[in-house]
Amino acid sequence: MNAPHRTGLGSAVALTFVMFTAHASAQSAPTATEAFNLRIQCKKLSDEKAQQVSELNSMLKWEIVGAWNTAKYDPVSNRCYGRIYVHIVKPSHRLDHESDQVFDLQTDDLLAAASVEEGKKHGNIFDPDYKKPWVPACSAKGCGPDFGEKTWQATEDYMNEFMADPRR
């Protein structure tokens, strides 16, 4: 036997309180202590993502020449972002690759990626909120030999600006 569905003032008041609390908490900035703890958690997420990249490169038998990662917790958007840089080589195949990427670490979305492969540069910005033009204009004759360099530079500029600490 099914229990009857009950509606009443108590349920309505509880639902209204939950909705108000959720709305109010979504609008308020974190306290200094909360922001500090969220920055620590964000750095952990960035370190975990960097570890995943490192493990993948090891599995693929790439030699890591250099690697670093940074994290940025944005209290306004309540989002955690990470920047992962890796320079890898495969001496047996004479391959040299540098990768610089920015992720939304909460959704694992790639927001931007710049790479240098065998000296050729290229960049892409995937951030749906980024509205500035970043791809150089091309003519009817083509895009020109420096097209990749320009997309790489625009992507690096975006990543540097995006990951900058607003407290400085």
Side-chain angles (χ1 to χ4, degrees):
M1 179 172 177
N2 291 337
H5 178 71
R6 296 182 187 174
T7 60
L9 185 58
S11 297
V13 170
L15 180 59
T16 302
F17 178 75
V18 168
M19 290 173 63
F20 175 78
T21 304
H23 176 73
S25 67
Q27 298 299 320
S28 61
T31 66
T33 301
E34 290 169 336
F36 177 78
N37 290 332
L38 290 167
R39 281 188 190 94
I40 290 170
Q41 291 296 351
C42 186
K43 178 61 175 145
K44 286 179 184 177
L45 284 174
S46 182
D47 291 344
E48 288 171 9
K49 183 69 174 177
Q51 184 62 36
Q52 289 173 358
V53 170
S54 179
E55 288 170 2
L56 177 64
N57 286 324
S58 292
M59 257 180 33
L60 296 173
K61 307 276 191 249
W62 284 91
E63 180 183 319
I64 298 173
V65 176
W68 54 264
N69 68 294
T70 61
K72 173 186 171 185
Y73 169 70
D74 180 6
V76 174
S77 65
N78 193 29
R79 305 298 299 170
C80 174
Y81 304 101
R83 186 170 183 177
I84 314 290
Y85 170 84
V86 93
H87 181 184
I88 52 180
V89 295
K90 205 171 240 189
S92 61
H93 294 88
R94 295 191 175 103
L95 296 175
D96 187 304
H97 180 83
E98 289 180 66
S99 176
D100 194 0
Q101 301 173 317
V102 170
F103 291 88
D104 178 327
L105 294 172
Q106 288 163 263
T107 61
D108 204 30
D109 289 340
L110 178 61
L111 300 178
S115 63
V116 182
E117 186 141 344
E118 300 305 317
K120 293 181 182 173
K121 295 180 177 181
H122 183 73
N124 284 302
I125 299 172
F126 306 107
D127 183 349
D129 296 327
Y130 189 69
K131 304 300 182 210
K132 297 179 189 175
W134 64 273
V135 177
C138 298
S139 69
K141 295 178 184 179
C143 293
D146 62 346
F147 181 80
E149 174 79 32
K150 287 181 179 179
T151 63
W152 179 87
Q153 188 61 59
T155 304
E156 285 290 319
D157 291 345
Y158 161 81
M159 291 190 290
N160 289 333
E161 181 181 327
F162 187 85
M163 293 298 289
D165 188 343
R167 297 172 295 165
R168 292 185 188 177

